[in-house]
Amino acid sequence: MDIKEVKKNAREKMKGFCNVCNECNGIWCAGKVPGMGGCGTGDSFKRNYNKLKRIRLILKTIHSAKNPILETSLWGEKLSFPGIIAPITGASYNFGNAVNEKEYANNVINGAVDAGTIGMVGDGGDPTYLELGLKAIKKAGGKGVAIIKPRDNEEIIKRIKMAEEAGAVAVGIDIDGAGLLTMALYNQPVGPKSFKDLKTLVDSTDLPFIVKGILSVEEAKLCQRAGVDTIVVSNHGGRVLDDTLAPCEVLNEIVKEVGYKVNILVDGAARNGGDILKYLALGAKGVLIGRPIIWGAVGGGQEGVKIILEQFKNELYKNMILTGCEETTNISPRIIHEFILD
Ligand SMILES: Cc1cc2nc3c(=O)[nH]c(=O)nc-3n(C[C@H](O)[C@H](O)[C@H](O)COP(=O)(O)O)c2cc1C
């Protein structure tokens, strides 16, 4: 199987849900939530793509970066490259049940292990989604991360204990899911957290605690004060609020303020290894990959996920040679240029 076949299969299997566009930029699927798109006008998703595209890589070929080192480490785990699988749930209503929830969780957790990196599992209106993800993590010897919806603290802590029991390497919440109506429809209420709530969650576990869905310096500082291990700068792939800033617009500012104390990851419209490199140049320690992994899992199962990750890895390697980067843990901001006027 190759990447063309994976995408072709995915396009056929996700008809009506995802077109697997050559440019996955949020236009075709605008407003399709549930579905694969961004919410409302789809502008937050489109902005993630367009603003990242506006950042250009500076070609450099007089240097000694002949054999770049891609490896990095996070939460005590060695990763073959700083690409991590984003948490995704709702196979039936988001991508037409082309694979079911259990298959999806197994494909991403095992596909990530096969590619030498790590996958996250998510939580949804149906509580069995997280349970299936945790089962996949447990079966993989704990190689995975659980991201829980911002439910009541008591409910979250119950699920943190389940993640500990499954052996997960880290645990966290997608705090930007605080307004999700789909959760209320399933009678699974979610909401924002006070500083005290957040600190209680961090203190409830010895596992590294992740907060996914931060888009401001102010809230990044609150996370740092609460003892959060890792922040994911993210707008949930543009799926929770119309007209937000794109993660790449706020990432560097957040890194400058709290990056010396907190691991900063990012996601949003990373579509190839060059996008990973741009995010690293803006100061991220790692990048979550969302929609392209769905194509892999649907179009080629566990192998499809590995193929997608290997493609990102190969592109990153080539891009590092052509920008003069020796190692992913030390990427200079001087390899990117941002066009302000377009
Ligand atoms: C269909 C779909 C389902 C998602 N489900 C979840 C989820 O259950 N939990 C979560 O934290 N994020 C969820 N996300 C957001 C992703 O984790 C990630 O933030 C986003 O997809 C990154 O953007 P990208 O897809 O453009 O790479 C979902 C995204 C999509 C497209």
Side-chain angles (χ1 to χ4, degrees):
M1 204 180 324
D2 63 13
I3 195 147
K4 267 193 173 163
E5 205 181 331
V6 169
K7 286 189 181 176
K8 186 170 166 276
N9 288 344
R11 193 173 291 116
E12 278 163 15
K13 290 188 179 175
M14 292 198 286
K15 241 190 174 111
F17 286 85
C18 179
N19 195 38
V20 191
C21 302
N22 286 335
E23 285 201 61
C24 174
N25 52 16
I27 293 176
W28 184 88
C29 54
K32 289 187 190 246
V33 183
M36 290 281 284
C39 66
T41 63
D43 184 74
S44 296
F45 177 2
K46 290 181 221 163
R47 191 174 182 99
N48 293 353
Y49 182 89
N50 292 332
K51 291 288 175 183
L52 193 60
K53 200 77 184 154
R54 205 183 61 170
I55 297 171
R56 313 303 291 186
L57 293 168
I58 299 173
L59 178 68
K60 294 182 185 175
T61 44
I62 305 175
H63 56 71
S64 57
K66 287 186 180 163
N67 194 11
I69 297 166
L70 267 57
E71 287 83 4
T72 189
S73 59
L74 259 176
W75 314 303
E77 295 289 308
K78 284 208 178 321
L79 308 184
S80 61
F81 83 119
I84 297 151
I85 296 184
I88 294 210
T89 55
S92 59
Y93 48 81
N94 285 321
F95 38 100
N97 228 13
V99 292
N100 65 36
E101 207 69 31
K102 181 178 171 190
E103 289 163 339
Y104 186 78
N106 284 312
N107 289 346
V108 298
I109 290 298
N110 297 329
V113 170
D114 291 346
T117 183
I118 198 150
M120 295 184 170
V121 299
D123 183 14
D126 181 340
T128 62
Y129 295 170
L130 179 70
E131 287 163 27
L132 291 168
L134 291 175
K135 272 191 191 151
I137 291 178
K138 190 168 187 174
K139 246 187 3 206
K143 296 271 176 204
V145 172
I147 300 293
I148 301 160
K149 283 273 172 289
R151 304 163 174 275
D152 290 343
N153 264 17
E154 204 180 303
E155 290 295 317
I156 296 177
I157 291 171
K158 210 162 79 188
R159 287 164 174 81
I160 290 176
K161 299 299 153 205
M162 286 159 58
E164 287 172 353
E165 211 271 317
V169 303
V171 71
I173 54 171
D174 52 325
I175 201 161
D176 58 0
L180 282 176
L181 288 177
T182 41
M183 294 294 288
L185 287 177
Y186 278 86
N187 204 19
Q188 304 280 315
V190 287
K193 296 284 163 204
S194 68
F195 177 78
K196 196 165 153 247
D197 289 338
L198 187 56
K199 188 144 182 14
T200 303
L201 292 176
V202 173
D203 292 343
S204 75
T205 180
D206 288 335
L207 288 177
F209 194 84
I210 302 167
V211 176
K212 174 172 179 280
I214 293 295
L215 268 187
S216 69
V217 168
E218 187 194 338
E219 295 215 319
K221 281 181 172 171
L222 288 174
C223 288
Q224 184 233 308
R225 270 182 43 215
V228 167
D229 177 272
T230 302
I231 289 170
V232 184
V233 179
S234 168
N235 62 9
H236 215 102
R239 294 170 65 77
V240 291
L241 179 67
D242 217 347
D243 294 328
T244 68
L245 286 171
C248 68
E249 295 178 282
V250 293
L251 172 62
N252 193 244
E253 224 184 315
I254 291 176
V255 170
K256 280 185 186 150
E257 285 289 338
V258 300
Y260 62 102
K261 281 207 172 145
V262 183
N263 291 318
I264 311 289
L265 307 181
V266 66
D267 72 21
R271 300 290 176 259
N272 54 54
D275 292 335
I276 303 265
L277 189 56
K278 290 176 188 179
Y279 276 136
L280 297 180
L282 289 168
K285 197 161 178 189
V287 181
L288 274 53
I289 307 164
R291 292 171 177 92
I293 295 294
I294 300 178
W295 306 335
V298 171
Q302 177 176 337
E303 189 191 349
V305 170
K306 181 179 181 217
I307 288 171
I308 296 281
L309 288 169
E310 293 296 341
Q311 170 89 359
F312 270 82
K313 217 189 280 182
N314 293 338
E315 289 162 349
L316 177 60
Y317 183 83
K318 191 188 87 183
N319 281 288
M320 285 173 71
I321 292 176
L322 291 174
T323 51
C325 299
E326 307 258 11
E327 45 196 20
T328 51
T329 51
N330 186 22
I331 302 289
S332 163
R334 288 202 297 266
I335 65 156
I336 51 174
H337 179 90
E338 192 173 351
F339 286 100
I340 308 295
L341 297 173
D342 62 355

